[in-house]
Amino acid sequence: AWDILAWLLALLHLAAAAGKLLDVTGFIAVLQDYRLFPSGLLPVLAGALIALEVSIAMGLAVRRWRKVAAMAAAGLAAAFLAVLSLTLARGIALDNCGCFGTFLPRPLTGWTLVQDAALLLLCVALARRRA
């Protein structure tokens, strides 16, 4: 069951990275809508997020790297949860949360927070699993 969870999380991170990579310019525009980061840093941030998601996906797919990758995935989910919560608290309405870049656009809602919290818990559970 843990191997299945790791592979599902790997596929999720790979799909998220692919969605962002297929339209990096569009993803940068989504990041700009959050109004949290200086415009000049957005291309670097977009590239770093894509690279991190690909790295997490690769790590989750390899049993020997799985624990570290799961911890990284948990950290990323926690960071996303913080940014999403802050954005909702600031009353910023987003038509696309950017989870999959410009593909599968979904508005930022409280349900997005619930989904991200569930992802965080799954990543923590996988990271805490004994080998």
Side-chain angles (χ1 to χ4, degrees), residues 15-45:
K20 293 171 179 89
L21 190 57
L22 289 171
D23 184 6
V24 176
T25 304
F27 179 54
I28 291 169
V30 170
L31 291 176
Q32 189 165 4
D33 291 342
Y34 278 89
R35 294 185 250 155
L36 279 175
F37 312 103
S39 294
L41 289 181
L42 294 178
V44 174
L45 179 60

PDB file of all heavy atoms in Angstrom, residues 15-45:
ATOM      1  N   ALA A  15       2.538  15.313 -12.846  1.00  0.00           N
ATOM      2  CA  ALA A  15       1.464  15.963 -13.605  1.00  0.00           C
ATOM      3  C   ALA A  15       1.431  17.464 -13.313  1.00  0.00           C
ATOM      4  O   ALA A  15       1.242  18.282 -14.223  1.00  0.00           O
ATOM      5  CB  ALA A  15       0.124  15.323 -13.262  1.00  0.00           C
ATOM      6  N   ALA A  16       1.624  17.829 -12.050  1.00  0.00           N
ATOM      7  CA  ALA A  16       1.640  19.246 -11.688  1.00  0.00           C
ATOM      8  C   ALA A  16       2.796  19.961 -12.377  1.00  0.00           C
ATOM      9  O   ALA A  16       2.631  21.063 -12.922  1.00  0.00           O
ATOM     10  CB  ALA A  16       1.731  19.403 -10.171  1.00  0.00           C
ATOM     11  N   ALA A  17       3.970  19.340 -12.366  1.00  0.00           N
ATOM     12  CA  ALA A  17       5.138  19.941 -13.019  1.00  0.00           C
ATOM     13  C   ALA A  17       4.923  20.046 -14.526  1.00  0.00           C
ATOM     14  O   ALA A  17       5.244  21.079 -15.132  1.00  0.00           O
ATOM     15  CB  ALA A  17       6.394  19.113 -12.720  1.00  0.00           C
ATOM     16  N   ALA A  18       4.370  19.003 -15.128  1.00  0.00           N
ATOM     17  CA  ALA A  18       4.137  19.008 -16.575  1.00  0.00           C
ATOM     18  C   ALA A  18       3.170  20.115 -16.971  1.00  0.00           C
ATOM     19  O   ALA A  18       3.393  20.819 -17.960  1.00  0.00           O
ATOM     20  CB  ALA A  18       3.612  17.643 -17.030  1.00  0.00           C
ATOM     21  N   GLY A  19       2.109  20.286 -16.187  1.00  0.00           N
ATOM     22  CA  GLY A  19       1.150  21.340 -16.481  1.00  0.00           C
ATOM     23  C   GLY A  19       1.784  22.719 -16.445  1.00  0.00           C
ATOM     24  O   GLY A  19       1.467  23.589 -17.263  1.00  0.00           O
ATOM     25  N   LYS A  20       2.688  22.916 -15.515  1.00  0.00           N
ATOM     26  CA  LYS A  20       3.383  24.199 -15.407  1.00  0.00           C
ATOM     27  C   LYS A  20       4.406  24.364 -16.534  1.00  0.00           C
ATOM     28  O   LYS A  20       4.560  25.442 -17.106  1.00  0.00           O
ATOM     29  CB  LYS A  20       4.070  24.305 -14.050  1.00  0.00           C
ATOM     30  CG  LYS A  20       3.094  24.377 -12.878  1.00  0.00           C
ATOM     31  CD  LYS A  20       3.833  24.250 -11.551  1.00  0.00           C
ATOM     32  CE  LYS A  20       2.894  24.353 -10.374  1.00  0.00           C
ATOM     33  NZ  LYS A  20       2.332  23.082  -9.969  1.00  0.00           N
ATOM     34  N   LEU A  21       5.094  23.283 -16.848  1.00  0.00           N
ATOM     35  CA  LEU A  21       6.152  23.328 -17.855  1.00  0.00           C
ATOM     36  C   LEU A  21       5.605  23.560 -19.260  1.00  0.00           C
ATOM     37  O   LEU A  21       6.251  24.203 -20.087  1.00  0.00           O
ATOM     38  CB  LEU A  21       6.954  22.023 -17.814  1.00  0.00           C
ATOM     39  CG  LEU A  21       8.239  21.956 -18.612  1.00  0.00           C
ATOM     40  CD1 LEU A  21       9.200  23.060 -18.185  1.00  0.00           C
ATOM     41  CD2 LEU A  21       8.894  20.596 -18.439  1.00  0.00           C
ATOM     42  N   LEU A  22       4.404  23.058 -19.521  1.00  0.00           N
ATOM     43  CA  LEU A  22       3.822  23.219 -20.854  1.00  0.00           C
ATOM     44  C   LEU A  22       3.427  24.655 -21.162  1.00  0.00           C
ATOM     45  O   LEU A  22       3.254  25.020 -22.327  1.00  0.00           O
ATOM     46  CB  LEU A  22       2.612  22.290 -21.011  1.00  0.00           C
ATOM     47  CG  LEU A  22       2.960  20.808 -21.117  1.00  0.00           C
ATOM     48  CD1 LEU A  22       1.702  19.955 -21.047  1.00  0.00           C
ATOM     49  CD2 LEU A  22       3.721  20.534 -22.414  1.00  0.00           C
ATOM     50  N   ASP A  23       3.263  25.471 -20.127  1.00  0.00           N
ATOM     51  CA  ASP A  23       2.956  26.890 -20.330  1.00  0.00           C
ATOM     52  C   ASP A  23       3.584  27.692 -19.186  1.00  0.00           C
ATOM     53  O   ASP A  23       2.893  28.162 -18.282  1.00  0.00           O
ATOM     54  CB  ASP A  23       1.440  27.111 -20.386  1.00  0.00           C
ATOM     55  CG  ASP A  23       1.056  28.562 -20.689  1.00  0.00           C
ATOM     56  OD1 ASP A  23       1.966  29.386 -20.967  1.00  0.00           O
ATOM     57  OD2 ASP A  23      -0.145  28.869 -20.633  1.00  0.00           O
ATOM     58  N   VAL A  24       4.889  27.823 -19.229  1.00  0.00           N
ATOM     59  CA  VAL A  24       5.614  28.513 -18.165  1.00  0.00           C
ATOM     60  C   VAL A  24       5.169  29.970 -18.072  1.00  0.00           C
ATOM     61  O   VAL A  24       4.966  30.496 -16.970  1.00  0.00           O
ATOM     62  CB  VAL A  24       7.146  28.411 -18.368  1.00  0.00           C
ATOM     63  CG1 VAL A  24       7.881  29.219 -17.316  1.00  0.00           C
ATOM     64  CG2 VAL A  24       7.593  26.956 -18.334  1.00  0.00           C
ATOM     65  N   THR A  25       4.980  30.616 -19.207  1.00  0.00           N
ATOM     66  CA  THR A  25       4.544  32.015 -19.201  1.00  0.00           C
ATOM     67  C   THR A  25       3.184  32.152 -18.524  1.00  0.00           C
ATOM     68  O   THR A  25       2.964  33.076 -17.733  1.00  0.00           O
ATOM     69  CB  THR A  25       4.487  32.568 -20.640  1.00  0.00           C
ATOM     70  OG1 THR A  25       5.776  32.394 -21.247  1.00  0.00           O
ATOM     71  CG2 THR A  25       4.113  34.035 -20.657  1.00  0.00           C
ATOM     72  N   GLY A  26       2.286  31.242 -18.817  1.00  0.00           N
ATOM     73  CA  GLY A  26       0.972  31.256 -18.177  1.00  0.00           C
ATOM     74  C   GLY A  26       1.072  31.003 -16.685  1.00  0.00           C
ATOM     75  O   GLY A  26       0.357  31.616 -15.885  1.00  0.00           O
ATOM     76  N   PHE A  27       1.978  30.089 -16.287  1.00  0.00           N
ATOM     77  CA  PHE A  27       2.162  29.805 -14.868  1.00  0.00           C
ATOM     78  C   PHE A  27       2.737  31.020 -14.134  1.00  0.00           C
ATOM     79  O   PHE A  27       2.330  31.331 -13.018  1.00  0.00           O
ATOM     80  CB  PHE A  27       3.053  28.576 -14.667  1.00  0.00           C
ATOM     81  CG  PHE A  27       3.295  28.240 -13.230  1.00  0.00           C
ATOM     82  CD1 PHE A  27       2.246  28.057 -12.345  1.00  0.00           C
ATOM     83  CD2 PHE A  27       4.588  28.136 -12.745  1.00  0.00           C
ATOM     84  CE1 PHE A  27       2.467  27.761 -11.007  1.00  0.00           C
ATOM     85  CE2 PHE A  27       4.821  27.836 -11.409  1.00  0.00           C
ATOM     86  CZ  PHE A  27       3.756  27.653 -10.535  1.00  0.00           C
ATOM     87  N   ILE A  28       3.648  31.722 -14.785  1.00  0.00           N
ATOM     88  CA  ILE A  28       4.202  32.947 -14.193  1.00  0.00           C
ATOM     89  C   ILE A  28       3.077  33.963 -13.975  1.00  0.00           C
ATOM     90  O   ILE A  28       3.032  34.630 -12.935  1.00  0.00           O
ATOM     91  CB  ILE A  28       5.341  33.517 -15.068  1.00  0.00           C
ATOM     92  CG1 ILE A  28       6.557  32.585 -15.014  1.00  0.00           C
ATOM     93  CG2 ILE A  28       5.713  34.934 -14.632  1.00  0.00           C
ATOM     94  CD1 ILE A  28       7.638  32.905 -16.030  1.00  0.00           C
ATOM     95  N   ALA A  29       2.159  34.058 -14.922  1.00  0.00           N
ATOM     96  CA  ALA A  29       1.017  34.978 -14.775  1.00  0.00           C
ATOM     97  C   ALA A  29       0.143  34.566 -13.587  1.00  0.00           C
ATOM     98  O   ALA A  29      -0.353  35.426 -12.848  1.00  0.00           O
ATOM     99  CB  ALA A  29       0.199  35.007 -16.062  1.00  0.00           C
ATOM    100  N   VAL A  30      -0.030  33.262 -13.390  1.00  0.00           N
ATOM    101  CA  VAL A  30      -0.803  32.785 -12.238  1.00  0.00           C
ATOM    102  C   VAL A  30      -0.093  33.187 -10.943  1.00  0.00           C
ATOM    103  O   VAL A  30      -0.727  33.672 -10.000  1.00  0.00           O
ATOM    104  CB  VAL A  30      -1.001  31.247 -12.298  1.00  0.00           C
ATOM    105  CG1 VAL A  30      -1.575  30.720 -10.994  1.00  0.00           C
ATOM    106  CG2 VAL A  30      -1.908  30.870 -13.467  1.00  0.00           C
ATOM    107  N   LEU A  31       1.223  32.993 -10.898  1.00  0.00           N
ATOM    108  CA  LEU A  31       1.982  33.384  -9.704  1.00  0.00           C
ATOM    109  C   LEU A  31       1.843  34.876  -9.431  1.00  0.00           C
ATOM    110  O   LEU A  31       1.754  35.297  -8.271  1.00  0.00           O
ATOM    111  CB  LEU A  31       3.458  33.012  -9.862  1.00  0.00           C
ATOM    112  CG  LEU A  31       3.801  31.523  -9.845  1.00  0.00           C
ATOM    113  CD1 LEU A  31       5.289  31.319 -10.117  1.00  0.00           C
ATOM    114  CD2 LEU A  31       3.405  30.893  -8.525  1.00  0.00           C
ATOM    115  N   GLN A  32       1.815  35.670 -10.483  1.00  0.00           N
ATOM    116  CA  GLN A  32       1.683  37.119 -10.322  1.00  0.00           C
ATOM    117  C   GLN A  32       0.327  37.473  -9.694  1.00  0.00           C
ATOM    118  O   GLN A  32       0.236  38.423  -8.911  1.00  0.00           O
ATOM    119  CB  GLN A  32       1.837  37.810 -11.673  1.00  0.00           C
ATOM    120  CG  GLN A  32       1.929  39.308 -11.574  1.00  0.00           C
ATOM    121  CD  GLN A  32       2.447  39.936 -12.852  1.00  0.00           C
ATOM    122  OE1 GLN A  32       2.663  39.252 -13.843  1.00  0.00           O
ATOM    123  NE2 GLN A  32       2.645  41.224 -12.834  1.00  0.00           N
ATOM    124  N   ASP A  33      -0.705  36.696 -10.012  1.00  0.00           N
ATOM    125  CA  ASP A  33      -2.037  36.954  -9.460  1.00  0.00           C
ATOM    126  C   ASP A  33      -2.080  36.825  -7.937  1.00  0.00           C
ATOM    127  O   ASP A  33      -2.953  37.397  -7.290  1.00  0.00           O
ATOM    128  CB  ASP A  33      -3.074  36.006 -10.077  1.00  0.00           C
ATOM    129  CG  ASP A  33      -3.340  36.304 -11.540  1.00  0.00           C
ATOM    130  OD1 ASP A  33      -3.009  37.420 -12.000  1.00  0.00           O
ATOM    131  OD2 ASP A  33      -3.870  35.402 -12.229  1.00  0.00           O
ATOM    132  N   TYR A  34      -1.150  36.078  -7.350  1.00  0.00           N
ATOM    133  CA  TYR A  34      -1.111  35.921  -5.894  1.00  0.00           C
ATOM    134  C   TYR A  34      -0.665  37.211  -5.191  1.00  0.00           C
ATOM    135  O   TYR A  34      -0.887  37.381  -4.003  1.00  0.00           O
ATOM    136  CB  TYR A  34      -0.166  34.775  -5.501  1.00  0.00           C
ATOM    137  CG  TYR A  34      -0.808  33.419  -5.611  1.00  0.00           C
ATOM    138  CD1 TYR A  34      -0.766  32.696  -6.786  1.00  0.00           C
ATOM    139  CD2 TYR A  34      -1.465  32.862  -4.517  1.00  0.00           C
ATOM    140  CE1 TYR A  34      -1.362  31.454  -6.878  1.00  0.00           C
ATOM    141  CE2 TYR A  34      -2.060  31.616  -4.597  1.00  0.00           C
ATOM    142  CZ  TYR A  34      -2.004  30.911  -5.793  1.00  0.00           C
ATOM    143  OH  TYR A  34      -2.591  29.682  -5.876  1.00  0.00           O
ATOM    144  N   ARG A  35       0.011  38.094  -5.935  1.00  0.00           N
ATOM    145  CA  ARG A  35       0.486  39.375  -5.399  1.00  0.00           C
ATOM    146  C   ARG A  35       1.325  39.215  -4.131  1.00  0.00           C
ATOM    147  O   ARG A  35       1.183  39.963  -3.172  1.00  0.00           O
ATOM    148  CB  ARG A  35      -0.691  40.316  -5.142  1.00  0.00           C
ATOM    149  CG  ARG A  35      -1.375  40.727  -6.419  1.00  0.00           C
ATOM    150  CD  ARG A  35      -2.441  41.748  -6.165  1.00  0.00           C
ATOM    151  NE  ARG A  35      -3.738  41.108  -6.393  1.00  0.00           N
ATOM    152  CZ  ARG A  35      -4.859  41.507  -5.840  1.00  0.00           C
ATOM    153  NH1 ARG A  35      -4.877  42.535  -5.032  1.00  0.00           N
ATOM    154  NH2 ARG A  35      -5.985  40.889  -6.104  1.00  0.00           N
ATOM    155  N   LEU A  36       2.216  38.223  -4.154  1.00  0.00           N
ATOM    156  CA  LEU A  36       3.087  37.961  -3.004  1.00  0.00           C
ATOM    157  C   LEU A  36       4.565  38.126  -3.317  1.00  0.00           C
ATOM    158  O   LEU A  36       5.361  38.345  -2.415  1.00  0.00           O
ATOM    159  CB  LEU A  36       2.879  36.522  -2.504  1.00  0.00           C
ATOM    160  CG  LEU A  36       1.691  36.254  -1.605  1.00  0.00           C
ATOM    161  CD1 LEU A  36       1.579  34.773  -1.302  1.00  0.00           C
ATOM    162  CD2 LEU A  36       1.809  37.039  -0.314  1.00  0.00           C
ATOM    163  N   PHE A  37       4.914  37.994  -4.580  1.00  0.00           N
ATOM    164  CA  PHE A  37       6.323  37.920  -4.957  1.00  0.00           C
ATOM    165  C   PHE A  37       6.681  39.047  -5.919  1.00  0.00           C
ATOM    166  O   PHE A  37       5.870  39.417  -6.765  1.00  0.00           O
ATOM    167  CB  PHE A  37       6.612  36.565  -5.624  1.00  0.00           C
ATOM    168  CG  PHE A  37       6.057  35.402  -4.866  1.00  0.00           C
ATOM    169  CD1 PHE A  37       4.901  34.763  -5.289  1.00  0.00           C
ATOM    170  CD2 PHE A  37       6.679  34.950  -3.703  1.00  0.00           C
ATOM    171  CE1 PHE A  37       4.371  33.694  -4.577  1.00  0.00           C
ATOM    172  CE2 PHE A  37       6.157  33.877  -2.988  1.00  0.00           C
ATOM    173  CZ  PHE A  37       5.000  33.255  -3.429  1.00  0.00           C
ATOM    174  N   PRO A  38       7.904  39.569  -5.816  1.00  0.00           N
ATOM    175  CA  PRO A  38       8.340  40.595  -6.775  1.00  0.00           C
ATOM    176  C   PRO A  38       8.331  40.032  -8.200  1.00  0.00           C
ATOM    177  O   PRO A  38       8.728  38.881  -8.425  1.00  0.00           O
ATOM    178  CB  PRO A  38       9.772  40.918  -6.340  1.00  0.00           C
ATOM    179  CG  PRO A  38       9.893  40.402  -4.946  1.00  0.00           C
ATOM    180  CD  PRO A  38       8.926  39.275  -4.818  1.00  0.00           C
ATOM    181  N   SER A  39       7.871  40.840  -9.142  1.00  0.00           N
ATOM    182  CA  SER A  39       7.738  40.391 -10.535  1.00  0.00           C
ATOM    183  C   SER A  39       9.029  39.829 -11.101  1.00  0.00           C
ATOM    184  O   SER A  39       9.012  38.856 -11.844  1.00  0.00           O
ATOM    185  CB  SER A  39       7.256  41.544 -11.420  1.00  0.00           C
ATOM    186  OG  SER A  39       5.950  41.909 -11.053  1.00  0.00           O
ATOM    187  N   GLY A  40      10.152  40.435 -10.748  1.00  0.00           N
ATOM    188  CA  GLY A  40      11.435  39.973 -11.276  1.00  0.00           C
ATOM    189  C   GLY A  40      11.826  38.584 -10.818  1.00  0.00           C
ATOM    190  O   GLY A  40      12.619  37.906 -11.484  1.00  0.00           O
ATOM    191  N   LEU A  41      11.278  38.149  -9.690  1.00  0.00           N
ATOM    192  CA  LEU A  41      11.593  36.814  -9.172  1.00  0.00           C
ATOM    193  C   LEU A  41      10.663  35.725  -9.695  1.00  0.00           C
ATOM    194  O   LEU A  41      10.951  34.540  -9.524  1.00  0.00           O
ATOM    195  CB  LEU A  41      11.526  36.816  -7.636  1.00  0.00           C
ATOM    196  CG  LEU A  41      12.637  37.553  -6.918  1.00  0.00           C
ATOM    197  CD1 LEU A  41      12.440  37.455  -5.405  1.00  0.00           C
ATOM    198  CD2 LEU A  41      13.998  36.988  -7.305  1.00  0.00           C
ATOM    199  N   LEU A  42       9.564  36.109 -10.322  1.00  0.00           N
ATOM    200  CA  LEU A  42       8.569  35.116 -10.732  1.00  0.00           C
ATOM    201  C   LEU A  42       9.107  34.055 -11.703  1.00  0.00           C
ATOM    202  O   LEU A  42       8.812  32.874 -11.524  1.00  0.00           O
ATOM    203  CB  LEU A  42       7.332  35.805 -11.306  1.00  0.00           C
ATOM    204  CG  LEU A  42       6.534  36.628 -10.285  1.00  0.00           C
ATOM    205  CD1 LEU A  42       5.353  37.313 -10.961  1.00  0.00           C
ATOM    206  CD2 LEU A  42       6.076  35.772  -9.123  1.00  0.00           C
ATOM    207  N   PRO A  43       9.901  34.417 -12.716  1.00  0.00           N
ATOM    208  CA  PRO A  43      10.439  33.363 -13.593  1.00  0.00           C
ATOM    209  C   PRO A  43      11.339  32.381 -12.839  1.00  0.00           C
ATOM    210  O   PRO A  43      11.291  31.169 -13.088  1.00  0.00           O
ATOM    211  CB  PRO A  43      11.230  34.140 -14.654  1.00  0.00           C
ATOM    212  CG  PRO A  43      10.610  35.493 -14.660  1.00  0.00           C
ATOM    213  CD  PRO A  43      10.205  35.757 -13.231  1.00  0.00           C
ATOM    214  N   VAL A  44      12.137  32.891 -11.911  1.00  0.00           N
ATOM    215  CA  VAL A  44      13.012  32.025 -11.118  1.00  0.00           C
ATOM    216  C   VAL A  44      12.179  31.130 -10.207  1.00  0.00           C
ATOM    217  O   VAL A  44      12.428  29.922 -10.090  1.00  0.00           O
ATOM    218  CB  VAL A  44      14.010  32.860 -10.286  1.00  0.00           C
ATOM    219  CG1 VAL A  44      14.819  31.989  -9.348  1.00  0.00           C
ATOM    220  CG2 VAL A  44      14.910  33.669 -11.208  1.00  0.00           C
ATOM    221  N   LEU A  45      11.166  31.710  -9.576  1.00  0.00           N
ATOM    222  CA  LEU A  45      10.281  30.945  -8.703  1.00  0.00           C
ATOM    223  C   LEU A  45       9.553  29.859  -9.486  1.00  0.00           C
ATOM    224  O   LEU A  45       9.466  28.707  -9.039  1.00  0.00           O
ATOM    225  CB  LEU A  45       9.279  31.876  -8.021  1.00  0.00           C
ATOM    226  CG  LEU A  45       8.257  31.222  -7.095  1.00  0.00           C
ATOM    227  CD1 LEU A  45       8.947  30.487  -5.949  1.00  0.00           C
ATOM    228  CD2 LEU A  45       7.294  32.273  -6.553  1.00  0.00           C
TER     229      LEU A  45
END
